[in-house]
Amino acid sequence: MKNYQVVWRGPVLDATGYGTASREYALALDRQGIDVKIETYTWNFPYHMQDEKKKKRLQQLIEKPITNQKQKILIYHSPPAVISKKEKADFDFCILNTVWETNRIPDTWLPILSTYDAVSVPCTHNVDALKISGVRIPIFLVPHGADTKMFNPDNHRIMLNEKTKFVFVSIFDFQHRKNPESLLRAYWEEFTVHDRVLLLIKTYGSSRKKIRKAIMDYKRKLGFSDTAPIYLMTGICSEAELKGMYTAANAFVLPTRGEGVGLPFIEALSSGIPVIATGWGGQMDFLSTHNSFLIDYELMNPSISMNSDHAISTIYREFEKNGQLWAEADLDHMKKQMRYAYENPALCRLKGRQGRKDMQQMTWDRAGISLKQMVEKIIGS
């Protein structure tokens, strides 16, 4: 059944998690022999792609015309976006591909979702959240893939000035959901200048000046002076730098409060390094004690931490609404897991090798097959 065209609408040229997933989903559908036309939008985080073949194919799909000779399927890869009745009339079916991070979706999503014919999400955590929230349209699970060719243990590592025994890396958007304050506090409390350790932070979402000030103000507030070093990188980086951050590290760490997927976890495991992460959220579809050091947590209303004196990053208030819950990582257990990883580099290598094996089974082609099956089931129904 191929007498249809999929119009993929997503930020395929952006250097964000959504951007990465969007271009990989679209290309995976294309490799399945599906007639794909890309309509792109942007959040103004331009991605400088090194893979010329992939770049060329994306451009071809963007320039491809919409056909009137086939059924037209819109897959809108976005946070819930309203489509007008007039626009919807241009398509035979409209599917929303989206993601959320807490235990249930905001109430404002329900009327928007009801205008679509189906919704697809990347994790069982999201499937449960949609069902609990009363979503009535068909729900499909379409997991992310892992690019184990791009992210691999042989990538050239970035050069760091400090000569250290152990490097933690953390890559995230500087927002409250990612829990940067617990990351910093755990590191400062657990490690000192006498430990041969470094925390490499790559973040974005605000200016370097504002992020550095927030971190330094928090450090002073907690009463720390001489601490183990932090290497801070902000803004957009090249593919080579991103890949080299993972291979320069011994472990990836992020005490996130909630994830739909957690793409950096996938990239870290693909690169052969283990993950230290909160044991709740979309990442639990692929994290395990065999490839990670999982942090204990307690489910709480987001407003508790948002209104805490410890909050240091961008806050999005929609997480507070309609009784949502997310995970607060146990600070003491996080410190123990970081110390345990630091003292057991051989175990880190073992978990990293297992993580890479796990990611080699989690391909984007598998995602493309799931998308194709979803589309043809909707058409057939």
Side-chain angles (χ1 to χ4, degrees), residues 33-45:
I34 305 304
D35 181 359
V36 179
K37 152 70 182 172
I38 291 177
E39 289 183 355
T40 186
Y41 65 87
T42 182
W43 288 319
N44 297 313
F45 291 101

Side-chain angles (χ1 to χ4, degrees), residues 285-302:
D285 279 2
F286 56 87
L287 294 190
S288 71
T289 55
H290 299 293
N291 59 32
S292 304
F293 300 88
L294 300 176
I295 304 168
D296 293 342
Y297 64 89
E298 183 178 354
L299 291 181
M300 293 184 180
N301 188 296

Side-chain angles (χ1 to χ4, degrees), residues 126-147:
N126 280 176
V127 172
D128 293 341
L130 292 176
K131 289 180 178 178
I132 289 171
S133 302
V135 173
R136 294 290 178 259
I137 61 174
I139 301 167
F140 292 88
L141 175 62
V142 182
H144 278 27
D147 189 342

Side-chain angles (χ1 to χ4, degrees), residues 10 15 31 43 52 78-79 88 92 107 143 148 180 193 195 204 206 219 232 242 274 306 330 356:
R31 288 194 299 272
W43 288 319
E52 290 298 325
S78 169
K88 189 174 181 182
D92 294 281
D107 288 340
T148 54
V193 291
D195 293 300
Y204 66 96
S206 188
K219 185 176 181 179
L232 179 66
L242 178 61
M306 286 182 176
D330 183 288
R356 180 159 175 81

Side-chain angles (χ1 to χ4, degrees), residues 221-236:
K221 184 175 184 176
L222 294 177
F224 290 107
S225 53
D226 292 333
T227 60
I230 291 175
Y231 190 97
L232 179 66
M233 299 178 70
T234 61
I236 304 299

